[in-house]
Amino acid sequence: MGIKAALPKYELYLYTAVLYMALFWAASWILEASSEHVNRKTFRENVKPGWHYFGRKMDAADFEWVMWFTKFRNYILFALSGHVIFAKICSMLSPKRRSLIYMIYGVCAVFVTMGWSYVTLVVSHCVLLYTVSLVKRKWLCFVAGLTSLATFKMEPLVTWQSGFVTGTFELQDILFYGGCGFSIMRCMSFGLENCERKNGNYSFLDLLKYNFYLPFFYFGPIMTFDQFHLQANNPDLTRKQWEMWNITKQALVHLGVIVVVDVFFHFLYILTIPSDMKLVKQLSDWSLAGLAYSNLVYDWVKAAVMFGVINTVSRLDHLDPPKPPKCITMLYVFAETHFDRGINDWLCKYVYDYLGKNHDSIFRELLATVSTFAITTLWLGPCEIVYIWSFFNCFGLNFELWVAKFFSLRPFSTIEGAMSEAMSRRIRGIFNAANFWQIILYNVLSLNSLEFAKLVGTRLVLKGFPVSTLSVLFVTYCGIQLIKERERRLALEEEAAEADALKEEAKEKTE
């Protein structure tokens, strides 16, 4: 049935009321647990002094968020501010050479923070992968690239290479792994695009321009080489109407989100509570469901803010970077689940879509998903929790296709064809609600722990059946229908815009 199937307004109002009451109820349980157990011994390591004037401590369990807005803050503001000023001046003086100037600034910034040995190490990998790309064999680019990536993800090669970078810089380890990992992925993109080029080769300087663009260097996101090369070498630097206003608005939104997250961290200890399994076992089923859900929402917010800040800078450079990840709240299919759209776009272009084609063949989909998650496992760093996460998400992608194929057969397709579109949407929403919680459970284990994920699954599926299971699924079903309603409205708006465009085109032809 089509995406434009509508539901009665009173039904949507009911779903909205149920969803918001459930969210506030779950949040109240988490707030109560946070306030009552703030002085537990297990909390002392992660709950730090916060707003003294409100008498609230802060959840500091996520070292990455704390690092970005404490240790990294001054370095990032200084480096990116310098890049923005430098880039603006250079784009005004010599717009045709701006990509070269970005590279020079990037190399200088990396040299100042990490030293020549680190720059030499990164360039040596670039030289190796550039040389392989000249052969113009995609499989060879993959082998060389994944082998280089493995040297930064597996011992003893990791320790050996990190030994080239000496010093006592407190953020050295994080910058080392971030810069090297993203460099390899960029080099692979360059090599694969060079294989696609029919006439000649891209130059080594093109690779260095691509790799040492500072806003993307250490933490991404990854733009595929073809997009970066086209945009960075475009001499036309005129902006669309309201573009600067949109960039400013985006920056203000990210600043607002940072403040909101800081407020929540002082009242809801959603990251620290799951680490205390004795406390978690005492919580209600609703609290556990709220914790699992809020952890994934927070991880999306973190990714959206971190990439969003960098993307704002790149937009000032007249680039169109990868969009922020789609919020976990808006997801009910595995195919759209990702927390780094840059890596996701990279994998889809070179692996998943390349092998899976139209994603309607069971065998090709299995091959595509296994290959995609094999590379993802290497990218994340092979370990037990990553293996489990990759297996379940790979299974989820394939299971969706199996279910879709099964229900497309008779008599199911005949039964659905006899239904109204609204009833079909309701039935599909039930399956989507179950799928939503599969996504939650399969991904929460990578954010917290396998033990926490097992506990949530056991309490919601087995011990909580039927009351907790069905009530959580009903609330999720309400949320799914509201998401589908939003998608329906967007589809209608797009259809209306396309119709208006066709009318304008026909009018111009007649005139």
Side-chain angles (χ1 to χ4, degrees):
M1 293 293 178
I3 195 176
K4 299 170 189 174
L7 294 179
K9 286 187 177 181
Y10 67 83
E11 187 175 341
L12 294 173
Y13 293 151
L14 173 63
Y15 293 155
T16 303
V18 170
L19 179 63
Y20 280 100
M21 284 192 296
L23 288 175
F24 282 120
W25 191 24
S28 67
W29 282 88
I30 299 173
L31 176 61
E32 183 179 350
S34 301
S35 301
E36 290 182 356
H37 302 281
V38 67
N39 294 317
R40 288 174 67 92
K41 290 182 179 180
T42 51
F43 276 35
R44 291 176 184 173
E45 182 180 351
N46 294 324
V47 178
K48 304 296 183 182
W51 294 340
H52 299 289
Y53 39 88
F54 280 122
R56 301 296 306 184
K57 294 183 177 181
M58 179 181 178
D59 189 341
D62 187 352
F63 80 94
E64 193 174 13
W65 181 273
V66 174
M67 173 190 71
W68 268 75
F69 296 104
T70 54
K71 297 178 182 178
F72 259 14
R73 182 181 57 201
N74 295 332
Y75 296 107
I76 289 173
L77 289 176
F78 179 76
L80 293 183
S81 297
H83 173 86
V84 170
I85 296 170
F86 190 71
K88 184 62 177 176
I89 294 173
C90 295
S91 63
M92 293 172 63
L93 297 177
S94 181
K96 293 183 178 180
R97 295 185 178 87
R98 62 193 179 98
S99 60
L100 176 63
I101 297 168
Y102 295 161
M103 182 205 74
I104 294 172
Y105 181 85
V107 171
C108 292
V110 174
F111 163 68
V112 170
T113 54
M114 299 294 286
W116 272 121
S117 57
Y118 179 76
V119 175
T120 304
L121 177 65
V122 173
V123 171
S124 66
H125 279 275
C126 292
V127 170
L128 172 64
L129 294 175
Y130 174 76
T131 305
V132 172
S133 73
L134 298 179
V135 182
K136 295 212 171 188
R137 293 290 184 272
K138 286 187 176 181
W139 68 268
L140 196 58
C141 289
F142 267 110
V143 171
L146 295 178
T147 301
S148 291
L149 184 62
T151 64
F152 293 108
K153 300 295 181 179
M154 297 180 178
E155 294 291 353
L157 294 172
V158 177
T159 303
W160 177 68
Q161 291 188 97
S162 62
F164 286 104
V165 184
T166 57
T168 58
F169 182 46
E170 60 180 343
L171 302 174
Q172 177 179 298
D173 288 344
I174 297 166
L175 295 178
F176 174 85
Y177 292 113
C180 292
F182 279 105
S183 289
I184 300 302
M185 299 299 280
R186 283 188 287 265
C187 287
M188 289 180 67
S189 176
F190 173 88
L192 294 168
E193 293 299 331
N194 195 56
C195 293
E196 288 286 339
R197 188 173 187 178
K198 296 179 180 180
N199 300 321
N201 298 287
Y202 292 108
S203 68
F204 183 64
L205 184 61
D206 289 328
L207 174 57
L208 294 181
K209 292 176 184 177
Y210 173 48
N211 188 57
F212 282 98
Y213 177 67
L214 185 64
F216 295 163
F217 182 80
Y218 285 115
F219 301 108
I222 291 178
M223 280 182 71
T224 55
F225 174 75
D226 57 329
Q227 294 180 353
F228 180 87
H229 183 71
L230 179 65
Q231 296 173 23
N233 291 286
N234 183 11
D236 183 13
L237 302 183
T238 57
R239 295 192 182 276
K240 298 177 182 178
Q241 187 178 13
W242 302 107
E243 185 175 353
M244 280 305 300
W245 163 247
N246 290 331
I247 293 174
T248 305
K249 183 175 67 174
Q250 182 188 51
L252 293 174
V253 166
H254 291 135
L255 180 61
V257 171
I258 292 170
V259 174
V260 170
V261 170
D262 197 56
V263 172
F264 272 92
F265 275 174
H266 283 83
F267 291 92
L268 304 175
Y269 302 152
I270 59 173
L271 304 179
T272 296
I273 292 175
S275 64
D276 187 346
M277 292 307 297
K278 289 185 179 179
L279 172 60
V280 169
K281 292 176 181 178
Q282 300 172 16
L283 299 179
S284 67
D285 295 345
W286 272 101
S287 297
L288 286 178
L291 274 175
Y293 168 75
S294 57
N295 268 257
L296 259 73
V297 171
Y298 163 70
D299 199 61
W300 168 79
V301 169
K302 179 175 70 174
V305 169
M306 290 181 178
F307 290 133
V309 171
I310 293 172
N311 286 353
T312 300
V313 175
S314 65
R315 283 192 171 91
L316 292 173
D317 293 338
H318 298 269
L319 299 181
D320 184 19
K323 297 177 181 179
K326 193 172 182 179
C327 180
I328 190 67
T329 303
M330 309 301 292
L331 296 177
Y332 50 85
V333 291
F334 278 90
E336 297 181 3
T337 305
H338 55 266
F339 295 92
D340 182 341
R341 193 180 290 269
I343 291 293
N344 183 72
D345 291 346
W346 191 101
L347 290 168
C348 285
K349 180 173 185 178
Y350 299 122
V351 185
Y352 183 60
D353 291 338
Y354 179 78
L355 295 176
K357 301 297 180 183
N358 296 325
H359 303 291
D360 56 0
S361 168
I362 291 177
F363 174 76
R364 292 193 71 93
E365 182 71 0
L366 183 62
L367 175 64
T369 52
V370 170
S371 301
T372 299
F373 280 100
I375 295 174
T376 305
T377 300
L378 180 60
W379 165 252
L380 294 175
C383 63
E384 182 184 10
I385 198 71
V386 174
Y387 294 145
I388 297 171
W389 174 87
S390 294
F391 171 80
F392 279 110
N393 280 273
C394 183
F395 168 78
L397 265 173
N398 285 277
F399 186 68
E400 283 181 346
L401 179 60
W402 300 341
V403 171
K405 288 284 187 182
F406 179 74
F407 282 99
S408 66
L409 301 174
R410 294 183 179 181
F412 303 107
S413 60
T414 305
I415 295 173
E416 186 179 20
M419 293 179 183
S420 65
E421 289 191 347
M423 183 56 67
S424 174
R425 171 175 160 175
R426 294 185 184 101
I427 294 175
R428 285 174 177 265
I430 296 172
F431 287 98
N432 293 147
N435 206 42
F436 181 89
W437 273 99
Q438 285 189 79
I439 295 174
I440 296 290
L441 294 176
Y442 292 170
N443 286 281
V444 77
L445 61 89
S446 66
L447 302 179
N448 299 111
S449 66
L450 179 60
E451 189 177 4
F452 176 71
K454 287 168 62 178
L455 177 64
V456 175
T458 302
R459 289 277 291 275
L460 293 183
V461 179
L462 299 177
K463 292 184 179 180
F465 187 84
V467 177
S468 296
T469 306
L470 296 180
S471 58
V472 168
L473 281 178
F474 176 66
V475 171
T476 308
Y477 167 83
C478 294
I480 296 296
Q481 292 297 356
L482 294 177
I483 296 168
K484 285 179 176 289
E485 182 63 20
R486 179 178 180 273
E487 292 174 347
R488 186 184 75 85
R489 291 179 180 177
L490 290 175
L492 292 174
E493 289 175 4
E494 290 178 3
E495 186 182 72
E498 290 176 2
D500 291 340
L502 290 173
K503 288 180 181 177
E504 287 293 329
E505 185 178 347
K507 185 178 180 181
E508 289 177 0
K509 288 180 178 180
T510 56
E511 292 177 353

